[in-house]
Structures are given as C-alpha cells and as structure tokens.
Amino acid sequence: MTIAAHGIDMVDCKRLGEMIDRYGERFLNRVFTPVELEYCRGRKRRTEHLAGRFAAKEAVMKVLGTGLRKGVNWLDIEVVNEPSGRPRINLTGKGREIADEQELTEIIISISHITTHAIASAVASGKGP
Ligand SMILES: CC(C)(COP(=O)(O)OP(=O)(O)OC[C@H]1O[C@@H](n2cnc3c(N)ncnc32)[C@H](O)[C@@H]1OP(=O)(O)O)[C@@H](O)C(=O)NCCC(=O)NCCS
C-alpha cells in the first residue's frame, strides 16, 4: 500500500457551537448527513462530536486536494462509526468522483475531541495526485 495523501484539520468547538446557535437546522443539514446528525443527537458532548465530524470532512478535503472547490459538497463526505466506535468515511457525489480520478483506494481517518477543540487526520492510500 502506498500513502498517497494526508490531510489534517482542527476545529474550535465554541465557534462551531455559535454557528449552530445562529443558523440552526439550515446549517446542520447543509453540513452534516442524517447519519451524522443521528450519531451526535442527544449526546452529552454533541458539539464536540459535530466538531470532530467537521474536522474530518476538512481533513478529507485536504486529502482530495480540493477544499470546497470543484463542486465537492460537505455532504459528499460522511463519517460513520463502526460498532467499535471506529470512524470511517463514506464518499459520494463529487467527492467520490475526485477520489476515483486520483485512484485513491481507501481513506482512513482518526478523530479526537476535547471541550475546546476537535482534530481529525485523514490518510489516503493509492497512486495519489
Ligand atoms: C477509543 C478511545 C481511544 C477514544 O479516546 P478518547 O480519549 O476517549 O476520546 P477522543 O476524543 O480522543 O476520541 C474520540 C473519537 O475516537 C474515535 N473512536 C472511538 N472508538 C474508536 C476505535 N475503536 N478505534 C478508532 N477510533 C475510535 C471516534 O471517532 C471518537 O469520536 P466520535 O465518537 O465523535 O466519532 C477510548 O475511548 C478508548 O477506548 N480507550 C481505550 C483505553 C481506555 O479505556 N482508557 C480509559 C482509561 S485511561
């Protein structure tokens, strides 16, 4: 396996919480998939979990080398947790297309969060850009 790309991102939980308070459901539904929202709903540290997902999406955008350009949508990058709690990435739409173009075979992520910040790292295997 060849490491083709790596991306990392850090999110300020307080700032994300303020965005959620300000823009509410409209913001949540634009950025997070129903699966992600369901995972975070009702959890004691909901904003931290959401911030972890936000960081993961940005880390994956760095792996793809696109940011939000080239039509990649927040919802194209979904974080799902395995029964063990381990997170993995589901790519759809333009995100999937770009990963295929770059012949990325797999994207592995890791997420961590504390009260103030969330951080995520994404590593892609494949041929790379
Ligand atoms: C998995 C574990 C390492 C998470 O670490 P943590 O410091 O509690 O929390 P972090 O904020 O760093 O990480 C949380 C993220 O880890 C990820 N995670 C959870 N279980 C995981 C697993 N089995 N494998 C990989 N990643 C995992 C998730 O993405 C989670 O965030 P999310 O729920 O928002 O998706 C921890 O819960 C664990 O099981 N540790 C084992 C050792 C232990 O029990 N220590 C406690 C005594 S010191």
Side-chain angles (χ1 to χ4, degrees), residues 39 49 53 81 84-87 111-113:
Y39 180 85
H49 292 285
R53 272 139 196 78
N81 293 74
S84 68
R86 181 182 173 160
I111 297 173
S112 182
H113 39 75

Side-chain angles (χ1 to χ4, degrees), residues 44-91:
K44 209 168 62 193
R45 297 182 297 154
R46 172 177 172 259
T47 308
E48 273 186 45
H49 292 285
L50 289 168
R53 272 139 196 78
F54 198 94
K57 287 167 191 269
E58 297 206 300
V60 171
M61 284 185 194
K62 289 178 185 175
V63 158
L64 297 176
T66 58
L68 275 177
R69 285 170 288 128
K70 294 199 179 174
V72 179
N73 188 292
W74 291 111
L75 304 179
D76 291 347
I77 304 166
E78 179 181 63
V79 176
V80 293
N81 293 74
E82 292 175 356
S84 68
R86 181 182 173 160
R88 62 179 176 79
I89 289 291
N90 263 345
L91 277 185

Side-chain angles (χ1 to χ4, degrees), residues 11-15 48 113-118:
V11 169
D12 181 330
C13 295
K14 184 162 170 262
R15 219 172 131 234
E48 273 186 45
H113 39 75
I114 56 172
T115 318
T116 53
H117 291 86

